[in-house]
Amino acid sequence: MDSLEKQLICPICLEMFTKPVVILPCQHNLCRKCANDIFQSSNPYLPIRGGSATSGGRFRCPSCRHEVVLDRHGVYGLQRNLLVENIIDMYKHEYISRPPPETKVDQPMCEVHEDEKINIYCLTCAVPTCSMCKVFGIHKDCEVAPITSIYQTQKTELSDGIAMMVGNNDRLQGIISQLEETCKSIEENGRRQKSKVCEKFDHLYTLLEERKREMTLKVNAEQEEKLNYIQGLTTKYGDHLKSMTNIMETGIQTLEEPEMALFVQNAKPLLQKISEALNTSHLERVERGYESMDHYSVNFNREGRALRNIDFTRDDEEEEELDEEEVGVDAVEQAGQSASGEAGSLTQMNEPLPPLLPPHPLKRPTTLS
């Protein structure tokens, strides 16, 4: 029956399913409260009424990572699994009401007093010890407490820490998914903006080809910079998620330790690791609109009109005759003044183009709190 009990454990709260039990599209089950907690952690910006999600959204199944899409009813729109609820009722009535069989476990002995069992906890030194060490040994001046109370306290803390890590893992997975979508948006926006730049420059003369190359390189440079940054963030979040998963698995194994003293010995460093892992202040988060590349939009209407107006000067409008070379230089110079604006006039056709003005500064990332 132990295998049956394992099938009735919620993967979020690590306790037996609490009714009502909802069934996800992937056929995995969750307590409705746990499903609501995952939904809120995955959709922190959606409005929540009465402590429950009542609007559409999505989250990932903690068992298989399948994406669950909710309708406007939220988690209340998920179907109840009455079969699992009935099995839980039968199991509780048949087995949990019976007294558990007594199991004998080997209790660790004191290293100093080999005949004494470890039965107290030294609060001063933060180690489990025996009664003889308190009366005659190195802990006689220390403050102690029954090991049972310390056992219950640390077991509760460890259970709460694991539950928090489960929810936080789903939140990190959601952020990684958003970062992956951001990468796709940056690539698509970059391609679209490069295409627009190329289409605009295709209608100009060879004189503007160098400027087209420089602007395309600008778009490529920012696209590569953003992609490298987002991919780096994805790697950081993935590494942090993997580390938290390893700690969570170690915590679950520690919870199964039946001996209180061994549990207390292992629980303290594990709780410290959990506390450090839950701190995500060192992870950055991309600001809204970071993937936008719209600041590279171009408009050459004014330059196009200036180029279309280039023409030879008529003799009746000139008081002095200009040879063919001077007329050509004047026309090109006028077109250059109209097209480059603040960049200055073009006095010769082979004069280098002015440098491109840099776009507005990139949005700085913020630290994930």
Side-chain angles (χ1 to χ4, degrees):
M1 299 308 296
D2 292 339
S3 59
L4 175 60
E5 183 177 356
K6 292 181 180 179
Q7 298 299 322
L8 300 178
I9 297 299
C10 175
I12 300 301
C13 62
L14 302 180
E15 299 290 343
M16 188 169 293
F17 286 116
T18 302
K19 295 192 295 184
V21 181
V22 295
I23 182 170
L24 304 181
C26 56
Q27 302 305 312
H28 290 108
N29 298 287
L30 289 176
C31 308
R32 178 182 289 173
K33 179 181 181 302
C34 295
N36 186 62
D37 292 341
I38 294 180
F39 177 80
Q40 293 186 30
S41 62
S42 302
N43 302 268
Y45 301 109
L46 288 181
I48 304 299
R49 298 181 181 177
S52 300
T54 57
S55 59
R58 59 187 64 197
F59 65 91
R60 292 186 180 272
C61 172
S63 299
C64 65
R65 313 309 305 165
H66 177 79
E67 187 175 56
V68 180
V69 180
L70 301 179
D71 57 16
R72 60 186 181 86
H73 299 290
V75 295
Y76 286 93
L78 295 173
Q79 184 178 2
R80 290 179 60 178
N81 195 333
L82 298 179
L83 176 61
V84 172
E85 294 180 7
N86 293 335
I87 293 176
I88 291 174
D89 292 339
M90 295 173 60
Y91 179 84
K92 289 182 178 180
H93 179 73
E94 187 69 21
Y95 294 98
I96 298 182
S97 59
R98 296 181 180 180
E102 296 183 359
T103 56
K104 294 183 179 180
V105 294
D106 295 333
Q107 185 173 0
M109 309 299 289
C110 179
E111 295 180 356
V112 179
H113 307 92
E114 298 180 355
D115 296 333
E116 294 291 329
K117 296 181 179 180
I118 296 178
N119 55 3
I120 61 175
Y121 186 82
C122 179
L123 299 176
T124 304
C125 302
V127 293
T129 184
C130 70
S131 301
M132 296 298 293
C133 289
K134 170 58 181 174
V135 178
F136 303 106
I138 59 176
H139 300 289
K140 63 181 180 179
D141 296 326
C142 298
E143 183 181 356
V144 298
I147 199 169
T148 55
S149 63
I150 302 300
Y151 168 80
Q152 293 296 336
T153 300
Q154 292 190 357
K155 186 171 184 178
T156 301
E157 292 178 358
L158 184 57
S159 299
D160 294 342
I162 292 175
M164 293 177 62
M165 290 186 68
V166 170
N168 203 36
N169 282 0
D170 191 76
R171 176 170 167 266
L172 291 177
Q173 184 63 47
I175 293 176
I176 291 175
S177 299
Q178 293 176 2
L179 292 175
E180 293 173 350
E181 292 297 327
T182 302
C183 286
K184 295 179 181 179
S185 297
I186 291 175
E187 292 176 347
E188 179 62 27
N189 292 339
R191 287 192 296 266
R192 183 171 60 252
Q193 293 304 124
K194 286 188 292 183
S195 177
K196 289 181 178 180
V197 170
C198 292
E199 289 176 0
K200 294 292 183 180
F201 274 100
D202 287 342
H203 295 85
L204 301 178
Y205 292 101
T206 306
L207 181 63
L208 299 177
E209 286 296 327
E210 179 65 20
R211 180 62 59 90
K212 180 179 69 173
R213 185 186 67 83
E214 294 177 2
M215 294 182 69
T216 303
L217 289 178
K218 285 288 184 178
V219 177
N220 284 334
E222 181 168 334
Q223 176 185 337
E224 188 67 21
E225 179 181 355
K226 287 186 174 182
L227 285 175
N228 291 338
Y229 175 71
I230 297 298
Q231 291 168 356
L233 274 186
T234 304
T235 301
K236 289 181 180 180
Y237 277 101
D239 294 342
H240 193 73
L241 177 62
K242 182 179 180 181
S243 175
M244 294 183 68
T245 301
N246 293 335
I247 296 174
M248 182 182 66
E249 293 175 354
T250 304
I252 293 175
Q253 295 175 359
T254 303
L255 285 176
E256 297 176 355
E257 175 59 47
E259 172 49 44
M260 293 185 292
L262 292 177
F263 177 86
V264 172
Q265 288 178 342
N266 298 328
K268 183 177 180 180
L270 188 56
L271 288 170
Q272 179 64 27
K273 290 182 180 180
I274 290 177
S275 177
E276 295 174 356
L278 290 174
N279 181 17
T280 57
S281 60
H282 62 285
L283 297 176
E284 299 174 341
R285 188 169 185 178
V286 179
E287 292 183 358
R288 186 185 300 274
Y290 180 77
E291 71 276 9
S292 175
M293 304 281 285
D294 293 339
H295 50 277
Y296 285 110
S297 299
V298 294
N299 189 328
F300 291 116
N301 292 335
R302 184 180 63 180
E303 290 78 4
R305 289 194 299 268
L307 292 176
R308 285 192 295 270
N309 290 331
I310 296 176
D311 201 353
F312 292 100
T313 307
R314 290 180 296 182
D315 294 338
D316 56 354
E317 295 178 353
E318 296 290 340
E319 295 180 357
E320 298 180 357
E321 292 184 355
L322 297 175
D323 57 23
E324 183 178 355
E325 180 180 358
E326 292 176 340
V327 172
V329 170
D330 289 340
V332 172
E333 190 175 42
Q334 292 175 4
Q337 292 175 352
S338 175
S340 51
E342 297 180 357
S345 61
L346 295 175
T347 57
Q348 295 180 356
M349 291 186 65
N350 59 356
E351 183 176 355
L353 294 173
L356 287 172
L357 294 177
H360 63 76
L362 295 178
K363 299 180 181 178
R364 302 300 300 173
T366 58
T367 301
L368 179 61
S369 58

